[in-house]
Amino acid sequence: MQKENKIYFARGRIMKRYSKVLILLALLIFVLTSIVSAQKDNDAKIQYVSALMSMTAYDDKFSNIAKDTLATYGWKFEFFQEKSNNASAKFFIAHNKKFIPGEDSYLLAIRGTSDLRDVSNDVKISLVPFGGKTPAEFMNFAMRSPSPDLPMVHSGFNNYVQTALFTALPNGVMLGDNLAHILKNNPAAHLYITGHSLGGAAAVLAAARFISLGSRPEQISVITFGAPAVGNELFAQNYGEKLDLARIVMAGDPIRNLAQIFNSNYKLFGTEIKYPSLLSYDDKLRHKILLYVDMSLRRYYDSKVKDQAVYAENGAGILFVRPVFHLPSEQVEEKNDFYMRRVIQDDITHYIKNTDWIDDDRLVTSGTYKYVVHTDVTVERQKYAKNSYYTAITYTVYNARGQLAASFAAADDTEELTPIEAVLYNNIKLRDNLIEALQK
């Protein structure tokens, strides 16, 4: 009996220890899963913001969509254009203290090109040596004789970065030095460098230059979209392990391997992230930044937990009922109604406060809200315009007594924009109308 009791108690101790181990393992798995999930969410957010910033750097008629969206997310930025005899470098620098918790975020976007003829001409330029630890040394090193025993990079991209970041402004300040100084003196600072096409190639070189200046690699991330290789194998070896480089490539984008086609000495490195193409993209050139923005937007909203419908019983609020969508079948299959609703909601909640969003207007009782807003979104494929949809968004506003207070609409086609981007574009155009109608 005594022996059985000892065995029983021994088994009990083993079971207790085993249970503790299981609990610790479960907690560890939960923590690791949470960390991985949070990192995936941040990665999707970083890609989306980087795509918007790369689009902003073009400073064309559609860049205002990206610029406006970034501004609503709290980014403050400036446009710069520095000229030399050999290059004209255009870029944006933005700052946001609330982008990633605990991080002081800076975003540098370098303008690229969507013209395949420009890309083809530019990648044919020869390689030059890459080295040095100061801006002056950068220039002198590039003047050495080319050698396979040296890290070498595309001479045009090298000149582009030198012009953009390491050419003194009229006041004697070098923007590259300023950014390096921020990284050195602010441990919480993180610099994201991004660009599309040739701008993405230049972004890789810019990051390498900051590391040469002494910046800590863990404070720098590079996100490129449809960018070719920038240097030879020795350059890739020297900076491949130092740079946190995400190379995003759209399925069907011809630029990824273009540099190697013209010159086999170019080598790609970093983590390649492949974006799929969609039916609604039709035969639009897969290299366009607009398609990269569209796909990064989808991945961003897919990563976010779907907001719960909110119903607040306060007489001062504004209620937005779930939009009514009229979409072609392929748009429904691509979940475009989901993404359109999210971009509309995100845009509006940044400039109109105290809003609620619900799926069913039958939940609304008379007098509960100051205003109730109905949204109608239409997307139709145009019969006589290739690769184009007609998009329209209409807002109808009712007061607390159920009376019509205002109604307004905006429409556009999508020959260049994707349907989601066109809806956002129309929504931005109606911003002043919404503010005027809902702040009476």
Side-chain angles (χ1 to χ4, degrees), residues 76-214:
K76 298 180 180 179
F77 48 91
E78 294 182 68
F79 175 71
F80 297 90
Q81 178 172 342
E82 295 307 318
K83 292 184 178 180
S84 70
N85 293 329
N86 301 314
S88 176
K90 300 178 182 180
F91 56 97
F92 277 92
I93 298 175
H95 181 221
N96 191 335
K97 292 185 176 182
K98 298 180 179 180
F99 179 52
I100 301 292
E103 180 181 284
D104 196 5
S105 307
Y106 291 83
L107 186 53
L108 169 64
I110 304 174
R111 179 177 177 173
T113 181
S114 290
D115 192 318
L116 290 184
R117 290 171 298 180
D118 290 346
V119 178
S120 298
N121 289 334
D122 287 344
V123 297
K124 295 176 184 177
I125 298 176
S126 61
L127 294 161
V128 295
F130 185 89
K133 294 183 178 180
T134 67
E137 289 181 6
F138 297 161
M139 294 184 67
N140 292 333
F141 206 94
M143 296 175 67
R144 294 186 181 184
S145 298
S147 168
D149 298 325
L150 292 173
M152 295 199 297
V153 300
H154 183 284
S155 62
F157 299 155
N158 186 64
N159 188 45
Y160 196 69
V161 171
Q162 190 75 20
T163 300
L165 298 174
F166 302 107
T167 298
L169 298 174
N171 59 6
V173 173
M174 287 185 187
L175 293 172
D177 275 350
N178 270 5
L179 287 170
H181 180 78
I182 290 171
L183 293 175
K184 181 179 179 180
N185 291 281
N186 183 0
H190 194 99
L191 176 62
Y192 299 91
I193 311 176
T194 189
H196 167 252
S197 191
L198 304 186
V204 175
L205 290 187
R209 287 304 193 197
F210 283 117
I211 290 175
S212 298
L213 287 171

Side-chain angles (χ1 to χ4, degrees), residues 116-396:
L116 290 184
R117 290 171 298 180
D118 290 346
V119 178
S120 298
N121 289 334
D122 287 344
V123 297
K124 295 176 184 177
I125 298 176
S126 61
L127 294 161
V128 295
F130 185 89
K133 294 183 178 180
T134 67
E137 289 181 6
F138 297 161
M139 294 184 67
N140 292 333
F141 206 94
M143 296 175 67
R144 294 186 181 184
S145 298
S147 168
D149 298 325
L150 292 173
M152 295 199 297
V153 300
H154 183 284
S155 62
F157 299 155
N158 186 64
N159 188 45
Y160 196 69
V161 171
Q162 190 75 20
T163 300
L165 298 174
F166 302 107
T167 298
L169 298 174
N171 59 6
V173 173
M174 287 185 187
L175 293 172
D177 275 350
N178 270 5
L179 287 170
H181 180 78
I182 290 171
L183 293 175
K184 181 179 179 180
N185 291 281
N186 183 0
H190 194 99
L191 176 62
Y192 299 91
I193 311 176
T194 189
H196 167 252
S197 191
L198 304 186
V204 175
L205 290 187
R209 287 304 193 197
F210 283 117
I211 290 175
S212 298
L213 287 171
S215 299
R216 292 186 293 129
E218 58 268 27
Q219 285 185 285
I220 301 171
S221 297
V222 185
I223 307 93
T224 68
F225 300 91
V230 296
N232 66 356
E233 187 167 358
L234 196 54
F235 174 79
Q237 290 175 359
N238 284 1
Y239 291 96
E241 294 184 0
K242 296 177 183 178
L243 289 180
D244 175 19
L245 168 60
R247 292 187 298 103
I248 300 172
V249 181
M250 178 76 66
D253 188 338
I255 301 304
R256 175 187 178 276
N257 297 313
L258 194 61
Q260 292 95 316
I261 292 173
F262 289 109
N263 188 334
S264 61
N265 291 318
Y266 284 103
K267 300 297 178 184
L268 290 165
F269 64 95
T271 301
E272 182 174 275
I273 300 171
K274 294 183 178 179
Y275 279 4
S277 184
L278 296 175
L279 182 63
S280 63
Y281 292 169
D282 291 325
D283 60 354
K284 289 184 173 71
L285 179 64
R286 295 302 188 264
H287 185 59
K288 287 185 175 294
I289 184 59
L290 291 166
L291 299 190
Y292 281 100
V293 170
D294 183 273
M295 185 52 65
S296 65
L297 177 153
R298 294 168 186 269
R299 292 166 68 97
Y300 169 61
Y301 285 114
D302 283 341
S303 74
K304 296 181 69 175
V305 178
K306 187 176 181 181
D307 292 341
Q308 297 292 322
V310 179
Y311 178 63
E313 294 188 4
N314 58 62
I318 299 166
L319 176 69
F320 283 81
V321 178
R322 181 184 180 86
V324 176
F325 291 94
H326 310 277
L327 307 178
S329 58
E330 72 269 19
Q331 298 282 316
V332 175
E333 291 173 4
E334 293 175 2
K335 301 196 305 181
N336 283 3
D337 53 339
F338 167 75
Y339 300 116
M340 289 173 183
R341 185 189 182 194
R342 296 307 297 268
V343 296
I344 290 171
Q345 181 174 340
D346 251 10
D347 181 48
I348 290 174
T349 53
H350 279 94
Y351 63 87
I352 296 179
K353 305 303 180 184
N354 197 23
T355 61
D356 289 338
W357 302 74
I358 67 169
D359 288 342
D360 193 344
D361 60 353
R362 289 175 298 180
L363 298 174
V364 183
T365 58
S366 178
T368 304
Y369 289 92
K370 184 177 180 181
Y371 293 108
V372 176
V373 184
H374 291 258
T375 310
D376 190 276
V377 177
T378 299
V379 178
E380 296 177 351
R381 183 179 284 277
Q382 298 198 81
K383 294 181 180 179
Y384 304 107
K386 191 177 180 180
N387 306 327
S388 182
Y389 291 88
Y390 165 83
T391 65
I393 182 168
T394 302
Y395 285 104
T396 307

